[in-house]
Structure formats: structure tokens, C-alpha cells
Amino acid sequence: MDADVPAFTAFTAFTAFTDEQDGIRRTLRDLLAERSTPEDVRSAVRTAAGYDTELWGRLVGRLGLPGLALPAAYGGAGRTLTELALACEEAGRVLLPSPLPATAGIAPPLIDALGTPDQRQRLLHIADGSLTCTLAAPGGALAGQLHDGIGFTWEREAHLYVKRAAADELLFGPVHLLREAAAERAGLFAPCPAGG
């Protein structure tokens, strides 16, 4: 080996966000700071929809979040997954209960890749906010694998402890009680009364 050439050269990659990407983050952060306080989040998850429909309307109308990464042919803004990830990150920062991840991040790529032409036309309704999506899977191993794959980052660390346990309910109790206890310890939610 040549003495003038180091055996290993480390490099550091620096990625700066564009002005547009910073604008998305800033705009969303400002809106969510005023509309997604811990009290707002608690109140929203207790509604029939499970999220603040008025706030969702603002996220759709003002920011076009459901169509952010959709191609223009489907009524979207044609941005990249980077912009969508930034929006989801800001939503996650305040634990925003909303249909954003499923509506903008999970359903559209699946429909675009696997859907019929008629189903692809429904992407127009996702982009304009008139259609929200959710992920449903049959019970059993597939549902567990899907849950493990799309878990939220705030539950990731605790989830690693129970992820591989075959009898997690036997060992640790029902998962919903574990999540409730973790949220309570973090000061996010008060426990729900029985039957409520």
C-alpha cells in the first residue's frame, strides 16, 4: 500500500435541507405548536374520529399534507418522501393523532404500485383530503409483523423489549395497558376509566 494514501479515509456527509423543506418544517411546527398542546392531543384522541378533524382540515387545506408526496397527475404536490418525512416528523414531535401516516405515507404508494386504474383515480381524493386511509390487516402473524414494522418512534425503545416475546400478554399483560402505562409515565395521558 502506498505510504501517502491512508488505509482508511472517513468522510462525513452533511445534508442541508432546502429552503422549501425548512419552510414546510417551520410552518407545520408553528401551526402544531398552537393547535397540538398535550391538552389538545388528549382531547382529540377521545373524540369519535380519534383526531382533531378541524386541525386535519387545516393541514389539508393550508398545507396540502395528504398530497405532499403524490404525483401531480393525482392532484398531489409531487414532492419527495423527504418532505413527507419532515411533515411526519413534525407531527410526531407533538404526538399528533391524525390520519397523516396512513393517508399520505402508507396507502398512496401501495395504491399506485398495486392498484387498478380505478383505484389509482381515488388518489385524487386522498390529495384533496376528502378521503383518509387506515391500515387494516387480518389478525395473527401478519398483523403483528405490520405493527412491528410501522410502530411509532416514541414506542420503539419500549417495544423492543416485548417485540419478540411469543407470549407477551402472558408475561407483561395486555399491550394496550403497557402503552397506557408508558404514556402515563411520560406525562402524556391520564389513564382512561374502565369502560371509557
Side-chain angles (χ1 to χ4, degrees):
M1 180 174 276
D2 190 348
D4 295 335
V5 178
F8 173 76
T9 304
F11 70 93
T12 303
F14 175 76
T15 304
F17 294 118
T18 66
D19 289 341
E20 181 183 31
Q21 291 167 339
D22 281 333
I24 291 169
R25 291 179 84 171
R26 204 172 24 259
T27 301
L28 192 52
R29 187 174 293 182
D30 291 347
L31 176 61
L32 295 177
E34 73 181 48
R35 292 292 309 269
S36 288
T37 64
E39 294 78 25
D40 294 330
V41 171
R42 281 187 205 102
S43 178
V45 298
R46 292 183 175 128
T47 65
Y51 61 93
D52 181 343
T53 55
E54 182 182 325
L55 176 57
W56 176 247
R58 288 181 68 184
L59 296 174
V60 169
R62 182 173 167 188
L63 301 176
L65 288 188
L68 192 62
L70 278 174
Y74 297 123
R79 302 297 181 257
T80 68
L81 291 178
T82 300
E83 287 83 10
L84 180 59
L86 292 172
C88 288
E89 179 182 39
E90 290 305 319
R93 178 184 301 277
V94 296
L95 299 177
L96 179 70
S98 80
L100 179 63
T103 300
I106 297 173
L110 291 173
I111 294 169
D112 191 30
L114 305 172
T116 65
D118 181 53
Q119 290 168 332
R120 286 189 191 106
Q121 285 303 306
R122 292 184 189 159
L123 289 170
L124 293 166
H125 300 293
I126 291 174
D128 72 14
S130 62
L131 180 66
T132 58
C133 303
T134 192
L135 179 64
L142 176 61
Q145 289 298 321
L146 287 172
H147 175 268
D148 291 347
I150 61 170
F152 296 101
T153 55
W154 65 270
E155 68 179 337
R156 176 91 173 124
E157 294 300 317
H159 194 70
L160 287 175
Y161 293 103
V162 297
K163 181 177 178 182
R164 303 240 187 267
D168 60 346
E169 290 201 23
L170 178 64
L171 295 172
F172 304 109
V175 173
H176 73 280
L177 293 179
L178 292 172
R179 288 185 181 150
E180 185 177 285
E184 184 179 354
R185 282 189 202 113
L188 301 174
F189 300 102
C192 292

